[in-house]
Amino acid sequence: MSNEVTELKASTIPEAELNWTKLTVERDDEPALTFTGVQIASARSFGDRGHPDFSGSTGRWTVLKLYRTKGGKLVGARIERTQWQGEQDQYEAIVCETELEIVEFFGHGPLAKELYSEAEINTAVDVA
């Protein structure tokens, strides 16, 4: 079995057409990441039980973002949001060389799969 991962959609867009921006991604207990890049995908859940993408926890939700740096690296960010007094949002981010590393960071949950779909990353296992 092999895990086939396709090229990101931003990789297929001519570089001259990308809106490169100076970005900062926060991380808890580590320095923030700053880079010139472009966001290529995002996904989020919702803290409202009435929403079809309910997070499973009232008042709390998750935001996933995927960026490509001008230098070709991938930056994955996970933000755990809360609306509750006394709780703080949590920030986690990683810099990766490959899409496989990004998949290891985000996993295979429903939100991650939504992110991969938007980024056109195929994480299906090829079974012969």
Side-chain angles (χ1 to χ4, degrees):
M1 289 189 276
S2 70
N3 189 13
E4 183 178 322
V5 179
T6 60
E7 290 295 311
L8 294 169
K9 70 179 179 183
S11 300
T12 61
I13 300 171
E15 191 166 318
E17 293 179 24
L18 291 173
N19 288 329
W20 298 111
T21 307
K22 185 71 172 180
L23 299 163
T24 299
V25 174
E26 294 297 330
R27 301 186 296 175
D28 289 340
D29 302 321
E30 296 182 75
L33 300 172
T34 60
F35 56 94
T36 299
V38 61
Q39 182 176 308
I40 55 177
S42 66
R44 66 163 290 181
S45 61
F46 291 82
D48 176 3
R49 289 182 185 271
H51 198 281
D53 291 326
F54 176 55
S55 67
S57 182
T58 301
R60 295 180 187 93
W61 63 97
T62 302
V63 178
L64 304 180
K65 294 184 179 186
L66 181 60
Y67 304 91
R68 186 177 118 206
T69 71
K70 196 165 187 177
K73 294 184 192 242
L74 300 169
V75 176
R78 179 184 298 115
I79 307 163
E80 300 292 340
R81 298 266 190 212
T82 182
Q83 71 178 23
W84 301 114
Q85 186 174 348
E87 293 183 352
Q88 294 182 347
D89 293 344
Q90 297 175 1
Y91 300 87
E92 184 180 10
I94 190 169
V95 178
C96 298
E97 298 287 335
T98 68
E99 293 164 356
L100 191 54
E101 291 174 295
I102 284 292
V103 172
E104 289 172 2
F105 175 70
F106 286 125
H108 293 280
L111 261 187
K113 288 180 179 184
E114 183 180 328
L115 184 86
Y116 304 146
S117 177
E118 185 178 331
E120 299 179 4
I121 297 174
N122 179 2
T123 61
V125 175
D126 183 28
V127 180

